[in-house]
Amino acid sequence: MAIDPERVPRHVAIIMDGNGRWAGERNLPRRAGHEAGEHALFDTVEGALELGIRWLTVYAFSTENWRRPPSEVRFIMNFNRDLLRRRTGELDDRQVRIRFIGRHTRPIPASLRRLMADSEATTRHHRRMTLQIAFNYGGRAELVDAARALGRQVAAGELDPEKIDEAAVERNLYTADAPDVDLMIRTSGEQRLSNYLPWQAAYAELVFTPLYWPDFDRRALRDAVGEYQHRTRRFGTV
């Protein structure tokens, strides 16, 4: 599929879904799906760089995922710790800025929080692409946190409540300097947004693919971008 380089979405967000089902269909433990998902993620990053996508946001761990079995949660925390140790240098070499969005507090282990901060610091000067990793993220939680921040600004006399508008809300989101999402992709055949970037994706084009996340790659990303380019975005106009 031919891609028009002038119409590549600036910001793509992905719900990486289906690791467990991918593993289950192969009679493998769920952790095998997460491990296979790492290759999918970094092949997708390479594909995004090839296409010239400037912002890529991936849903790695939601505020609801803490309800999963404790053994799986522990594995995911350890896996992400090891992933950062393995891959931060690789992303740094490719001039990719790493950013984590979500609540960077407990119950995320302190050692993982330190690695998250270190990876952000190491890559902070890059602008070829920003890879935002939504970790301990929930869209409603983000809006609650923004409302609390606005409330503190009003209480401190820094903000007139009558001056609160969309721009004021956006300044207090985790993604304050990121453009709105142009293209939202969800893998595994599910067709819902699952509390992911509700403000930022208000006008996003949605693409749902039956591929489980471990089977997603740069070619699947290219196909999704091709579908995006065949749509007409009206933003409420005619």
Side-chain angles (χ1 to χ4, degrees):
M1 180 182 296
I3 298 297
D4 180 354
E6 300 300 319
R7 297 181 57 240
V8 170
R10 187 178 181 196
H11 189 174
V12 175
I14 304 179
I15 301 174
M16 305 182 295
D17 192 22
N19 289 347
R21 278 167 286 171
W22 180 92
E25 289 184 5
R26 291 159 175 77
N27 296 314
L28 298 170
R30 287 177 62 86
R31 62 190 300 166
H34 296 301
E35 291 167 347
E38 178 184 348
H39 174 76
L41 173 58
F42 284 90
D43 197 66
T44 299
V45 167
E46 293 286 4
L49 290 169
E50 290 171 359
L51 290 168
I53 294 167
R54 301 299 299 275
W55 293 78
L56 178 65
T57 305
V58 295
Y59 208 1
F61 193 84
S62 75
T63 49
E64 292 77 26
N65 286 155
W66 295 106
R67 302 172 190 164
R68 292 187 175 188
S71 59
E72 182 175 358
V73 170
R74 283 194 300 273
F75 171 78
I76 291 172
M77 295 300 118
N78 291 331
F79 178 74
N80 280 278
R81 186 185 294 113
D82 294 341
L83 184 149
L84 286 174
R85 289 174 177 146
R86 287 194 303 271
R87 298 285 192 166
T88 295
E90 181 179 329
L91 292 170
D92 187 33
D93 290 342
R94 285 161 174 73
Q95 300 181 315
V96 175
R97 175 172 57 163
I98 302 171
R99 174 179 292 170
F100 288 90
I101 59 171
R103 288 178 169 169
H104 299 169
T105 57
R106 295 186 64 187
I108 300 175
S111 59
L112 178 52
R113 281 182 271 140
R114 285 193 295 271
L115 281 171
M116 290 162 64
D118 288 347
S119 66
E120 289 181 323
T122 297
T123 62
R124 66 185 181 278
H125 55 288
H126 294 315
R127 293 297 183 274
R128 183 183 179 194
M129 187 177 79
T130 297
L131 174 62
Q132 293 190 133
I133 302 171
F135 198 85
N136 195 25
Y137 175 88
R140 290 181 175 179
E142 179 179 24
L143 293 175
V144 166
D145 289 348
R148 288 173 176 169
L150 289 166
R152 289 192 294 270
Q153 293 163 31
V154 169
E158 300 168 355
L159 179 64
D160 180 346
E162 296 302 318
K163 300 292 186 182
I164 297 175
D165 55 12
E166 290 186 10
V169 174
E170 288 178 353
R171 285 194 298 272
N172 288 278
L173 296 175
Y174 305 147
T175 57
D177 66 339
D180 284 346
V181 175
D182 298 306
L183 171 61
M184 172 79 76
I185 303 167
R186 181 170 188 148
T187 59
S188 86
E190 303 291 349
Q191 298 187 18
R192 57 182 177 273
L193 298 183
S194 296
N195 197 22
Y196 187 43
L197 303 172
W199 181 283
Q200 299 89 336
Y203 280 97
E205 295 297 318
L206 308 179
V207 171
F208 301 106
T209 172
L211 293 171
Y212 292 138
W213 176 247
D215 293 325
F216 197 87
D217 57 15
R218 69 185 74 191
R219 291 169 297 181
L221 175 64
R222 188 180 184 87
D223 289 344
V225 170
E227 183 171 340
Y228 164 87
Q229 292 191 344
H230 279 90
R231 298 184 186 179
T232 300
R233 307 183 76 199
R234 296 186 177 86
F235 299 97
T237 65
V238 295

